[in-house]
Amino acid sequence: MEKIELGNTGVRVGQLGLGCMQMGTATDEATSFRMLDAFTDAGGDFLDTADCYMWWGGPQYSGGESEQLLAKWLARNGNRDRTFLATKVSGLPVNVPELHASGLQGEEIWANVRFEGAGADTVRRGIDGSLKRLGVEHVDLYYVHVDDRKTPLEETLAALAEVVAAGKARFIGWSNVRTWRLDRVRQLAAQNGWPSPVAVQQRYSYLPQHPGTNHTSSAGEEMLDYLRDHRDVSLVAYSPILANLYDSPDPQGHRFWPLYGNAKALDAVHTVAKELGATANQVALAWLLKRRDPQAFALMGPRTWEQFETIVPAIDVRLSDEQFQHLEDSA
């Protein structure tokens, strides 16, 4: 598995990361361990989780289950020094019991979430809680998960600086953030000598988001252009296959079609997939791994072993220059 540099840190990390969101809830322990073992055996080292994963998995969950499962796996294998471990703060709701009791589902439940935010006390408690659940002394990358517009950035950044100075995190990152906010974070960090984000985690895939629907969580053209000029921040792309949109039997009925639907681009993916004897999901992921402007890490988040088996082969899919250009021209 190819390793690329994270920002300008000098640290090289596997370009394909394993999103561990559903591990310990929707994905049972045995299956999670099987995926983690296979991923690391294939040369992977980038593991991504968060303190809120996965409170919405059912009324019996409150968040932190993914971190607890990873702690068991790390303790069993004794391979902490061979993993690049990322977790996050600010995305845990303060009203989880209320949400569970509400009976709301889907978009309705998310509309009623009250996030804990990224205040200094939350950041300090958050990192200590994550380290305890993970059973480790430090994480490699610590994200602000949900950009908090109510808390002064200075407060959040100063607290993150404490976390790094204490050796509890090596680097910081930001997620679900507007480009102008990311730039403001970087300016304040530079002005005050605080650690600056080396990664920004956004939803990003081959199918571009429709103009006028640029959500905070997505890396649109403005952010991509920004990252081309600021190579010290790496893009970490989540949902790179858009919940299997590319291989969906009914793409126009898929939940992401209203945001990402593009018949011409999707047809190009299927054409290249047929040429290579690959799946459309694998081609979309291979495109992302081959792209260099900007270069990005890709996070896959399989729920089942079968999904894992169909995604991982993408690292061996080799797009020719002609196929890559055909995809570029069709998007």
Side-chain angles (χ1 to χ4, degrees):
M1 186 180 299
E2 183 177 1
K3 292 191 176 185
I4 62 175
E5 186 178 6
L6 179 70
N8 289 339
T9 64
V11 175
R12 298 181 69 82
V13 184
Q15 190 179 8
L16 181 62
L18 182 59
C20 304
M21 180 177 74
Q22 301 183 86
M23 294 182 180
T25 51
T27 307
D28 63 33
E29 182 175 302
T31 304
S32 299
F33 279 20
R34 187 182 183 189
M35 289 194 287
L36 287 160
D37 288 341
F39 178 72
T40 52
D41 287 346
D45 58 359
F46 192 170
L47 304 179
D48 181 87
T49 186
D51 62 354
C52 64
Y53 294 159
M54 196 171 80
W55 67 264
W56 61 94
Q60 68 273 40
Y61 303 125
S62 57
E65 290 81 14
S66 171
E67 292 179 327
Q68 291 169 338
L69 182 137
L70 286 173
K72 292 181 182 180
W73 179 77
L74 289 166
R76 187 199 71 174
N77 290 31
N79 58 350
R80 172 66 184 96
D81 61 342
R82 298 193 300 277
T83 59
F84 187 89
L85 189 57
T87 193
K88 312 179 191 77
V89 69
S90 81
L92 186 67
V94 296
N95 58 329
V96 169
E98 175 187 320
L99 292 167
H100 285 322
S102 70
L104 297 173
Q105 299 292 327
E107 294 298 323
E108 287 187 331
I109 196 170
W110 288 101
N112 286 274
V113 164
R114 298 197 304 275
F115 291 113
E116 64 180 348
D121 288 343
T122 300
V123 170
R124 296 186 191 106
R125 288 196 309 270
I127 188 62
D128 288 342
S130 286
L131 295 180
K132 182 176 181 180
R133 284 187 295 273
L134 287 162
V136 298
E137 294 182 354
H138 76 277
V139 295
D140 297 290
L141 180 57
Y142 196 47
Y143 290 99
V144 171
H145 196 172
V146 179
D147 189 34
D148 177 9
R149 301 274 283 271
K150 296 181 180 178
T151 299
L153 283 171
E154 293 88 345
E155 178 181 339
T156 302
L157 281 164
L160 289 169
E162 292 177 19
V163 168
V164 173
K168 297 178 181 181
R170 295 171 66 192
F171 308 110
I172 70 163
W174 234 266
S175 183
N176 302 304
V177 62
R178 296 287 188 189
T179 307
W180 69 267
R181 284 276 291 179
L182 176 63
D183 186 62
R184 181 61 178 152
V185 167
R186 286 164 44 82
Q187 289 180 28
L188 287 170
Q191 291 168 9
N192 293 278
W194 294 324
S196 186
V198 301
V200 57
Q201 187 176 136
Q202 303 285 111
R203 184 185 294 130
Y204 180 58
S205 186
Y206 168 68
L207 293 178
Q209 194 167 10
H210 293 168
T213 60
N214 184 22
H215 292 185
T216 304
S217 60
S218 296
E221 186 54 40
E222 182 179 63
M223 179 165 284
L224 296 178
D225 191 48
Y226 183 85
L227 295 176
R228 292 182 189 110
D229 286 341
H230 299 87
R231 301 286 179 169
D232 56 324
V233 186
S234 289
L235 174 61
V236 179
Y238 71 85
S239 296
I241 59 173
L242 297 176
N244 296 312
L245 170 60
Y246 297 95
D247 279 320
S248 172
D250 178 25
Q252 296 192 28
H254 193 283
R255 63 187 177 93
F256 278 133
W257 188 260
L259 293 177
Y260 295 92
N262 183 318
K264 179 184 177 182
L266 188 60
D267 182 66
V269 171
H270 283 278
T271 297
V272 172
K274 187 175 181 180
E275 292 172 357
L276 294 171
T279 70
N281 282 337
Q282 289 167 0
V283 168
L285 194 51
W287 169 86
L288 180 54
L289 296 175
K290 185 179 176 67
R291 198 153 198 250
R292 294 293 181 269
D293 193 27
Q295 191 171 44
F297 293 88
L299 289 179
M300 61 171 179
R303 179 178 57 84
T304 66
W305 174 253
E306 290 72 25
Q307 290 174 352
F308 179 88
E309 280 190 307
T310 63
I311 297 174
V312 170
I315 62 177
D316 294 321
V317 172
R318 295 292 181 262
L319 301 175
S320 69
D321 291 342
E322 292 76 14
Q323 289 167 333
F324 181 79
Q325 193 58 52
H326 176 54
L327 292 171
E328 290 281 289
D329 293 341
S330 301

